[in-house]
Structure formats: C-alpha cells, structure tokens
Amino acid sequence: MHLAYPAVLAVLLFCTGLYGVLARRNAILVLMSVELMLNAVNLNLVAFDVWLRDALHAGQALTLFTIAIAAAEIGIGLAIVLAVYRNRGSSDIDRLRDTAETDDAETLPDDADAARDSTADQATAPAGKAKKAEATA
Amino acid sequence: MTLAATAGHPGFLSPTGVEIAFVLVGLVTFGAALITVTTKQLVHAALWLVVALGGIAVEYLLLTAEFIAWVQVLIYVGSIVVLLLFGLMLTRAPIGRSPDADSGNRGLALGVAVASAAALVWVVVDAFRTTWINLEGPAQGSTKASGEFLFRHWVLPFEALSVLLLAALVGAIVLSRKEGKDGKDPGGGVGAKGSKGGPRGKDRHVMRDRTDRTDREDRTARTARTYRTDRQEQSAASREDMS
C-alpha cells in the first residue's frame, strides 16, 4: 500500500479536529474534536510502524499508550466540564472568561446576555475581583 | 529496513484491492469526522464520531494491526463515546438543533484548518511519493505479536500507564464529587469572608440543598450569575433568620 494514503488521511482527520477545537462552543464538542486529533496521530503511528517494520514495534506500543491516555484524558476532562457546568449552569467555553486579564474582556460575547446580566451584576458584585472569587463558590 | 521495492510497483494508476478499500473507508471516515465537527445537533455529533472511530478501526485492520483495531473498538467506540454521551446528557444538551453550537470565530477556524491541511498534505505527499508499505508476510500487529512486544520490551511503560490510569480515576472522582464530607467546601473562599464561625458550615449545606431542590427545574434556563445572586440573597436571608 502506498504510504501517502494513511498519511494524507491522518492529516485530513487532524485538520478536521483542529477546526472543531477552534470553532466549537460546547466544551464536550471540543473534547470530541480532540479525540479526532488523537486518532489521526494514532493512525500515523500505526502506518509508520508497519512501514518501518520496527523490531520493538514502538509505533504500535505508543498507539496503545495513547489510547489509554486518551481515555484518562476524556475522564478528567468530562469531570472538569461537569464541575464547571454545576457551578456556572453552562458549558459554553466562550463564557468562561474569568481568567481574562482586563475587566473589558470579562463581558460576555453576546450582548443580550450581557444586558440581562448587567443589572444583577451591578447589584451584587461591582468589582471584577469579587466576581472571580464568587465564580469558585 | 525493508522498503517495498519501488521499481516493481505499479504506482497510483493501478491500485491494489487493499488500497481501494483503504481509500473508500478513509472517505467514509473523513466524511463522518466532518459531520462530527459541523453538525448542529450535539447528540448526532457523538453518533457520527462513532462512525469516524469505527472507520479508523477498519483502517487499522487494513494496515494489519489487528490488536490495535480491537482495542480501538473496545475503548473508543465502547467507552469514550459512551462517556461523551453521558457528558452531553448530564450537561443537558438540547436534543434538537442548537443554533449556538459554533462560536463566532468559525471563519477564522476554517481558514486555519484549511491552510494547515493544505500545507501538511502538500508536504506529506511530496515526502512519501515513492514509498510503499509492504503488507505481505505475517501480520505485524496480531495479538500474539502485540503481546510479545508489549510485555517483552514495553513492560515498564505499561506499568507506569496503569499508575497513570489510577491517578486519573482518583482525580475524576475528586473533581466530580459534590462536596467534602466534613463540611469542607471546595470553593469556600467566599463563604469564609463573611462567616463568623459557629454553625454556619452545616447551615450552608442545608441551604444549598434547598436551593438545589427548588431550582432544579429552571436551572438550565438561568445563567450562572443569576443563580449565584439568588444563592447570595438566600444566604443573606438565612443569616438574618439566625440572628
């Protein structure tokens, strides 16, 4: 088999995952895209291992390890997403701007929500510092 | 290193059966991946991800890596997709179309993805134009071969990986537990500000339970901020009750 076939397929899958990571808003969809990228890397590892006929079969061993690490990653990632959802009521990564450097960047991206929240914000938490502290409560 | 003899190979114009199968399955996989990252229905994205991951498992089979193919089916299709579906359900993903699945920088993401895909495809095709994989001989990734190389040469990483999995297990449990049993609030920074000690810790729990119960129905509709505001009001009210 020509080596370009698996290599090109891996490239295409990786870039699909890259698009998903950059363009998606829901945190779980971002995790799915990360899985696609990991799978592209795995496909590359297996193809090159079969091509090189490595005596140690490092490519296949690393693929197995990558799959296990991906499973661990998805478990931890989902736990984090669920914790964020429990605290914030949403898992949109566009809204998680508490570590933003300035107060300007903390405003929500969509204006409707910002306008709706601004009254509650001014009543309870005028300063950005206080908001950050509450975000963890 | 046994490179396939490039001289005797027919090239692109007369592909072998394995190559045809690989390209067809690859097209299905790529299409499923594209639908996964572009569909507006969140649950459908997870289901198309099953197709993409299964397609990759078939590609592993075509590359004679049998054991990895079955591991892929077991772990990815079997458990990771189920975990993702659980995550979607627990964050109350809408079943129908959700118009805000994509963020605002979609065009930028498309540009970055297409540019990197073009660059990488060009580089890869140019680099491996005359390289063939020799798939003849005994399967290189059969279960027997995999067991031999894994437990002969890769035992130490394998054991280290089991420790990592244990750590991930404990970490996931700690992260997803609601609160400490001994009244230790994981995010107690705010509560400590206005508290005067005493029975407040226990009281907080009762209060939070009540809030959870009453708010369970419409909690998704609210933003997190109004939820927090609500809780603060209630805490102020209960503090007044106590005093």
Short mmCIF file of all heavy atoms in Angstrom, two decimals, chain B residues 87-140:
data_model
loop_
_atom_site.label_atom_id
_atom_site.label_comp_id
_atom_site.label_asym_id
_atom_site.label_seq_id
_atom_site.Cartn_x
_atom_site.Cartn_y
_atom_site.Cartn_z
N GLY B 87 -21.75 12.75 29.20
CA GLY B 87 -21.45 14.16 29.45
C GLY B 87 -22.47 15.07 28.80
O GLY B 87 -22.93 16.04 29.40
N LEU B 88 -22.86 14.74 27.56
CA LEU B 88 -23.87 15.57 26.89
C LEU B 88 -25.18 15.54 27.65
O LEU B 88 -25.85 16.56 27.81
CB LEU B 88 -24.08 15.07 25.46
CG LEU B 88 -23.02 15.49 24.45
CD1 LEU B 88 -23.32 14.86 23.12
CD2 LEU B 88 -23.00 16.99 24.32
N MET B 89 -25.55 14.34 28.12
CA MET B 89 -26.83 14.26 28.84
C MET B 89 -26.74 15.01 30.17
O MET B 89 -27.68 15.71 30.55
CB MET B 89 -27.17 12.80 29.12
CG MET B 89 -27.28 11.94 27.91
SD MET B 89 -28.65 12.38 26.90
CE MET B 89 -28.33 11.41 25.46
N LEU B 90 -25.62 14.88 30.86
CA LEU B 90 -25.53 15.50 32.18
C LEU B 90 -25.44 17.01 32.10
O LEU B 90 -25.81 17.70 33.03
CB LEU B 90 -24.32 14.94 32.93
CG LEU B 90 -24.51 13.53 33.43
CD1 LEU B 90 -23.24 13.02 34.06
CD2 LEU B 90 -25.61 13.49 34.45
N THR B 91 -24.93 17.53 30.99
CA THR B 91 -24.97 18.98 30.84
C THR B 91 -26.22 19.44 30.11
O THR B 91 -26.29 20.56 29.66
CB THR B 91 -23.73 19.48 30.09
OG1 THR B 91 -23.67 18.81 28.83
CG2 THR B 91 -22.47 19.20 30.84
N ARG B 92 -27.18 18.55 30.01
CA ARG B 92 -28.49 18.87 29.44
C ARG B 92 -28.37 19.47 28.06
O ARG B 92 -28.86 20.57 27.79
CB ARG B 92 -29.24 19.82 30.34
CG ARG B 92 -29.47 19.12 31.63
CD ARG B 92 -30.14 20.02 32.56
NE ARG B 92 -29.99 19.43 33.88
CZ ARG B 92 -30.67 19.77 34.91
NH1 ARG B 92 -31.55 20.69 34.80
NH2 ARG B 92 -30.48 19.19 36.05
N ALA B 93 -27.69 18.77 27.20
CA ALA B 93 -27.62 19.24 25.82
C ALA B 93 -29.00 19.12 25.20
O ALA B 93 -29.70 18.14 25.43
CB ALA B 93 -26.63 18.39 25.04
N PRO B 94 -29.37 20.12 24.44
CA PRO B 94 -30.68 20.04 23.78
C PRO B 94 -30.69 18.93 22.75
O PRO B 94 -29.69 18.68 22.08
CB PRO B 94 -30.83 21.41 23.13
CG PRO B 94 -29.44 21.91 23.01
CD PRO B 94 -28.68 21.36 24.15
N ILE B 95 -31.84 18.27 22.63
CA ILE B 95 -31.91 17.14 21.71
C ILE B 95 -31.98 17.64 20.26
O ILE B 95 -31.35 17.09 19.38
CB ILE B 95 -33.14 16.28 22.04
CG1 ILE B 95 -32.93 15.62 23.40
CG2 ILE B 95 -33.39 15.23 21.00
CD1 ILE B 95 -31.78 14.65 23.43
N GLY B 96 -32.71 18.68 20.04
CA GLY B 96 -32.86 19.17 18.67
C GLY B 96 -31.65 19.97 18.22
O GLY B 96 -30.55 19.81 18.72
N ARG B 97 -31.89 20.84 17.24
CA ARG B 97 -30.79 21.65 16.74
C ARG B 97 -30.51 22.77 17.72
O ARG B 97 -31.41 23.42 18.24
CB ARG B 97 -31.16 22.25 15.39
CG ARG B 97 -31.48 21.22 14.35
CD ARG B 97 -32.16 21.89 13.17
NE ARG B 97 -31.26 22.80 12.51
CZ ARG B 97 -30.35 22.41 11.62
NH1 ARG B 97 -30.25 21.15 11.31
NH2 ARG B 97 -29.57 23.28 11.05
N SER B 98 -29.25 23.00 17.99
CA SER B 98 -28.89 24.13 18.84
C SER B 98 -28.11 25.11 17.97
O SER B 98 -27.04 24.79 17.46
CB SER B 98 -28.06 23.68 20.02
OG SER B 98 -26.97 22.93 19.57
N PRO B 99 -28.68 26.29 17.78
CA PRO B 99 -28.05 27.21 16.82
C PRO B 99 -26.71 27.76 17.30
O PRO B 99 -25.94 28.27 16.50
CB PRO B 99 -29.09 28.33 16.70
CG PRO B 99 -29.90 28.23 17.93
CD PRO B 99 -29.91 26.80 18.34
N ASP B 100 -26.44 27.68 18.60
CA ASP B 100 -25.19 28.28 19.08
C ASP B 100 -24.12 27.22 19.33
O ASP B 100 -23.32 27.34 20.24
CB ASP B 100 -25.45 29.07 20.36
CG ASP B 100 -26.05 28.19 21.43
OD1 ASP B 100 -26.52 27.10 21.06
OD2 ASP B 100 -26.04 28.58 22.59
N ALA B 101 -24.13 26.18 18.51
CA ALA B 101 -23.10 25.15 18.69
C ALA B 101 -21.74 25.65 18.23
O ALA B 101 -20.72 25.23 18.75
CB ALA B 101 -23.48 23.88 17.93
N ASP B 102 -21.74 26.53 17.24
CA ASP B 102 -20.47 27.06 16.74
C ASP B 102 -20.24 28.44 17.31
O ASP B 102 -21.17 29.22 17.49
CB ASP B 102 -20.50 27.14 15.22
CG ASP B 102 -20.43 25.77 14.60
OD1 ASP B 102 -19.80 24.89 15.21
OD2 ASP B 102 -21.01 25.58 13.53
N SER B 103 -19.01 28.74 17.59
CA SER B 103 -18.70 30.04 18.15
C SER B 103 -18.49 31.05 17.03
O SER B 103 -18.58 30.72 15.85
CB SER B 103 -17.48 29.98 19.04
OG SER B 103 -16.33 29.97 18.25
N GLY B 104 -18.22 32.27 17.41
CA GLY B 104 -18.17 33.34 16.41
C GLY B 104 -16.97 33.28 15.49
O GLY B 104 -17.03 33.75 14.37
N ASN B 105 -15.90 32.65 15.96
CA ASN B 105 -14.70 32.68 15.13
C ASN B 105 -14.63 31.47 14.20
O ASN B 105 -13.59 30.87 14.00
CB ASN B 105 -13.45 32.72 16.00
CG ASN B 105 -13.50 31.67 17.07
OD1 ASN B 105 -14.37 30.81 17.05
ND2 ASN B 105 -12.58 31.71 18.00
N ARG B 106 -15.77 31.14 13.62
CA ARG B 106 -15.84 29.97 12.77
C ARG B 106 -15.05 30.15 11.48
O ARG B 106 -14.33 29.25 11.03
CB ARG B 106 -17.31 29.72 12.45
CG ARG B 106 -17.60 28.30 12.13
CD ARG B 106 -19.07 28.15 11.93
NE ARG B 106 -19.31 27.23 10.86
CZ ARG B 106 -20.49 27.02 10.31
NH1 ARG B 106 -21.53 27.72 10.73
NH2 ARG B 106 -20.64 26.16 9.37
N GLY B 107 -15.18 31.33 10.89
CA GLY B 107 -14.46 31.57 9.65
C GLY B 107 -12.96 31.50 9.84
O GLY B 107 -12.23 30.91 9.03
N LEU B 108 -12.52 32.08 10.95
CA LEU B 108 -11.09 32.03 11.26
C LEU B 108 -10.63 30.59 11.44
O LEU B 108 -9.57 30.18 10.92
CB LEU B 108 -10.84 32.83 12.53
CG LEU B 108 -9.39 33.06 12.92
CD1 LEU B 108 -8.72 33.91 11.87
CD2 LEU B 108 -9.30 33.67 14.29
N ALA B 109 -11.45 29.80 12.15
CA ALA B 109 -11.09 28.40 12.37
C ALA B 109 -11.03 27.66 11.04
O ALA B 109 -10.11 26.85 10.81
CB ALA B 109 -12.11 27.74 13.30
N LEU B 110 -11.98 27.95 10.17
CA LEU B 110 -11.98 27.29 8.86
C LEU B 110 -10.73 27.64 8.08
O LEU B 110 -10.08 26.77 7.46
CB LEU B 110 -13.24 27.70 8.08
CG LEU B 110 -13.52 26.91 6.82
CD1 LEU B 110 -13.82 25.47 7.17
CD2 LEU B 110 -14.67 27.52 6.07
N GLY B 111 -10.36 28.92 8.14
CA GLY B 111 -9.14 29.34 7.44
C GLY B 111 -7.91 28.63 7.96
O GLY B 111 -7.10 28.10 7.19
N VAL B 112 -7.79 28.57 9.29
CA VAL B 112 -6.63 27.92 9.89
C VAL B 112 -6.59 26.45 9.50
O VAL B 112 -5.54 25.91 9.10
CB VAL B 112 -6.67 28.08 11.42
CG1 VAL B 112 -5.62 27.20 12.07
CG2 VAL B 112 -6.42 29.52 11.80
N ALA B 113 -7.76 25.78 9.58
CA ALA B 113 -7.80 24.35 9.30
C ALA B 113 -7.46 24.07 7.84
O ALA B 113 -6.66 23.17 7.54
CB ALA B 113 -9.17 23.80 9.65
N VAL B 114 -8.05 24.85 6.93
CA VAL B 114 -7.79 24.59 5.51
C VAL B 114 -6.33 24.88 5.17
O VAL B 114 -5.67 24.12 4.43
CB VAL B 114 -8.75 25.43 4.64
CG1 VAL B 114 -8.33 25.40 3.19
CG2 VAL B 114 -10.15 24.90 4.78
N ALA B 115 -5.80 25.96 5.75
CA ALA B 115 -4.41 26.29 5.45
C ALA B 115 -3.46 25.20 5.96
O ALA B 115 -2.57 24.75 5.24
CB ALA B 115 -4.05 27.64 6.10
N SER B 116 -3.70 24.75 7.18
CA SER B 116 -2.80 23.72 7.72
C SER B 116 -2.98 22.41 6.97
O SER B 116 -2.00 21.69 6.73
CB SER B 116 -3.04 23.54 9.21
OG SER B 116 -4.37 23.22 9.44
N ALA B 117 -4.22 22.11 6.56
CA ALA B 117 -4.44 20.88 5.80
C ALA B 117 -3.71 20.95 4.47
O ALA B 117 -3.04 19.99 4.06
CB ALA B 117 -5.94 20.66 5.58
N ALA B 118 -3.80 22.09 3.79
CA ALA B 118 -3.13 22.21 2.50
C ALA B 118 -1.62 22.06 2.67
O ALA B 118 -0.96 21.30 1.93
CB ALA B 118 -3.47 23.56 1.87
N ALA B 119 -1.08 22.75 3.65
CA ALA B 119 0.37 22.68 3.85
C ALA B 119 0.81 21.26 4.18
O ALA B 119 1.77 20.73 3.59
CB ALA B 119 0.76 23.64 4.98
N LEU B 120 0.08 20.61 5.10
CA LEU B 120 0.50 19.28 5.52
C LEU B 120 0.33 18.26 4.41
O LEU B 120 1.18 17.38 4.23
CB LEU B 120 -0.29 18.87 6.76
CG LEU B 120 0.19 19.51 8.06
CD1 LEU B 120 -0.76 19.19 9.17
CD2 LEU B 120 1.57 18.99 8.40
N VAL B 121 -0.78 18.36 3.66
CA VAL B 121 -0.98 17.39 2.57
C VAL B 121 0.12 17.55 1.53
O VAL B 121 0.68 16.56 1.04
CB VAL B 121 -2.38 17.58 1.95
CG1 VAL B 121 -2.46 16.86 0.61
CG2 VAL B 121 -3.44 17.04 2.88
N TRP B 122 0.44 18.80 1.23
CA TRP B 122 1.49 19.02 0.24
C TRP B 122 2.81 18.41 0.72
O TRP B 122 3.48 17.67 -0.02
CB TRP B 122 1.62 20.53 0.00
CG TRP B 122 2.71 20.86 -0.95
CD1 TRP B 122 2.89 20.33 -2.19
CD2 TRP B 122 3.77 21.79 -0.74
NE1 TRP B 122 4.01 20.88 -2.76
CE2 TRP B 122 4.57 21.77 -1.90
CE3 TRP B 122 4.12 22.63 0.32
CZ2 TRP B 122 5.70 22.57 -2.03
CZ3 TRP B 122 5.24 23.43 0.19
CH2 TRP B 122 6.02 23.40 -0.97
N VAL B 123 3.16 18.69 1.96
CA VAL B 123 4.43 18.19 2.49
C VAL B 123 4.44 16.66 2.51
O VAL B 123 5.40 16.01 2.06
CB VAL B 123 4.66 18.76 3.90
CG1 VAL B 123 5.80 18.01 4.58
CG2 VAL B 123 4.99 20.22 3.83
N VAL B 124 3.34 16.07 2.99
CA VAL B 124 3.31 14.61 3.16
C VAL B 124 3.34 13.91 1.81
O VAL B 124 4.09 12.95 1.61
CB VAL B 124 2.05 14.23 3.97
CG1 VAL B 124 1.72 12.78 3.78
CG2 VAL B 124 2.29 14.51 5.43
N VAL B 125 2.55 14.42 0.86
CA VAL B 125 2.53 13.77 -0.46
C VAL B 125 3.88 13.92 -1.14
O VAL B 125 4.40 12.98 -1.76
CB VAL B 125 1.39 14.37 -1.31
CG1 VAL B 125 1.53 13.93 -2.75
CG2 VAL B 125 0.06 13.92 -0.77
N ASP B 126 4.47 15.09 -0.97
CA ASP B 126 5.77 15.29 -1.60
C ASP B 126 6.84 14.40 -0.96
O ASP B 126 7.74 13.89 -1.64
CB ASP B 126 6.15 16.76 -1.46
CG ASP B 126 7.27 17.11 -2.42
OD1 ASP B 126 7.19 16.65 -3.57
OD2 ASP B 126 8.22 17.80 -2.02
N ALA B 127 6.72 14.20 0.34
CA ALA B 127 7.76 13.44 1.03
C ALA B 127 7.64 11.95 0.76
O ALA B 127 8.65 11.26 0.62
CB ALA B 127 7.69 13.72 2.53
N PHE B 128 6.43 11.43 0.70
CA PHE B 128 6.25 9.98 0.62
C PHE B 128 5.72 9.54 -0.74
O PHE B 128 4.97 8.60 -0.84
CB PHE B 128 5.31 9.50 1.73
CG PHE B 128 5.82 9.85 3.09
CD1 PHE B 128 5.16 10.75 3.89
CD2 PHE B 128 6.98 9.27 3.58
CE1 PHE B 128 5.64 11.09 5.13
CE2 PHE B 128 7.47 9.60 4.81
CZ PHE B 128 6.80 10.51 5.59
N ARG B 129 6.12 10.28 -1.78
CA ARG B 129 5.59 9.96 -3.09
C ARG B 129 6.02 8.58 -3.56
O ARG B 129 5.30 7.89 -4.25
CB ARG B 129 6.05 11.04 -4.07
CG ARG B 129 5.15 11.24 -5.25
CD ARG B 129 5.62 12.46 -6.01
NE ARG B 129 7.06 12.66 -5.81
CZ ARG B 129 7.67 13.82 -5.96
NH1 ARG B 129 6.97 14.87 -6.30
NH2 ARG B 129 8.96 13.94 -5.77
N THR B 130 7.19 8.19 -3.21
CA THR B 130 7.74 6.93 -3.73
C THR B 130 7.92 5.90 -2.63
O THR B 130 8.86 5.13 -2.64
CB THR B 130 9.08 7.19 -4.41
OG1 THR B 130 9.93 7.82 -3.46
CG2 THR B 130 8.92 8.06 -5.62
N THR B 131 7.02 5.89 -1.67
CA THR B 131 7.16 4.99 -0.54
C THR B 131 5.97 4.05 -0.48
O THR B 131 4.83 4.50 -0.53
CB THR B 131 7.23 5.78 0.77
OG1 THR B 131 8.11 6.87 0.58
CG2 THR B 131 7.74 4.92 1.88
N TRP B 132 6.27 2.76 -0.38
CA TRP B 132 5.18 1.80 -0.30
C TRP B 132 5.32 0.99 0.97
O TRP B 132 6.44 0.68 1.40
CB TRP B 132 5.18 0.87 -1.51
CG TRP B 132 4.43 1.44 -2.66
CD1 TRP B 132 3.12 1.27 -2.93
CD2 TRP B 132 4.93 2.29 -3.68
NE1 TRP B 132 2.76 1.96 -4.06
CE2 TRP B 132 3.86 2.59 -4.54
CE3 TRP B 132 6.19 2.83 -3.95
CZ2 TRP B 132 4.00 3.40 -5.65
CZ3 TRP B 132 6.33 3.64 -5.05
CH2 TRP B 132 5.24 3.93 -5.90
N ILE B 133 4.18 0.65 1.54
CA ILE B 133 4.19 -0.22 2.70
C ILE B 133 4.08 -1.65 2.20
O ILE B 133 3.22 -1.97 1.37
CB ILE B 133 3.00 0.08 3.63
CG1 ILE B 133 3.02 1.54 4.06
CG2 ILE B 133 3.03 -0.81 4.84
CD1 ILE B 133 1.83 1.93 4.86
N ASN B 134 4.93 -2.49 2.72
CA ASN B 134 4.87 -3.90 2.34
C ASN B 134 4.02 -4.64 3.36
O ASN B 134 4.42 -4.82 4.50
CB ASN B 134 6.29 -4.47 2.30
CG ASN B 134 6.28 -5.88 1.80
OD1 ASN B 134 5.27 -6.34 1.26
ND2 ASN B 134 7.39 -6.57 1.95
N LEU B 135 2.82 -5.02 2.92
CA LEU B 135 1.90 -5.65 3.86
C LEU B 135 1.98 -7.17 3.81
O LEU B 135 1.18 -7.84 4.45
CB LEU B 135 0.46 -5.21 3.55
CG LEU B 135 0.16 -3.75 3.85
CD1 LEU B 135 -1.24 -3.42 3.41
CD2 LEU B 135 0.31 -3.48 5.33
N GLU B 136 2.91 -7.70 3.05
CA GLU B 136 2.98 -9.16 2.97
C GLU B 136 3.64 -9.73 4.22
O GLU B 136 4.18 -9.02 5.04
CB GLU B 136 3.77 -9.58 1.73
CG GLU B 136 2.89 -9.78 0.51
CD GLU B 136 2.98 -8.59 -0.43
OE1 GLU B 136 4.10 -8.19 -0.75
OE2 GLU B 136 1.92 -8.06 -0.81
N GLY B 137 3.58 -11.04 4.31
CA GLY B 137 4.17 -11.70 5.46
C GLY B 137 3.18 -11.79 6.60
O GLY B 137 2.01 -11.42 6.46
N PRO B 138 3.64 -12.29 7.75
CA PRO B 138 2.74 -12.41 8.90
C PRO B 138 2.31 -11.03 9.38
O PRO B 138 3.04 -10.06 9.26
CB PRO B 138 3.60 -13.12 9.94
CG PRO B 138 5.01 -12.84 9.53
CD PRO B 138 4.99 -12.78 8.05
N ALA B 139 1.10 -10.98 9.91
CA ALA B 139 0.56 -9.70 10.38
C ALA B 139 1.44 -9.15 11.49
O ALA B 139 1.79 -9.86 12.43
CB ALA B 139 -0.86 -9.89 10.88
N GLN B 140 1.77 -7.86 11.35
CA GLN B 140 2.71 -7.29 12.32
C GLN B 140 2.03 -6.89 13.61
O GLN B 140 2.69 -6.63 14.60
CB GLN B 140 3.38 -6.07 11.72
CG GLN B 140 4.21 -6.39 10.53
CD GLN B 140 4.93 -5.15 10.07
OE1 GLN B 140 5.65 -4.55 10.81
NE2 GLN B 140 4.71 -4.79 8.83
#
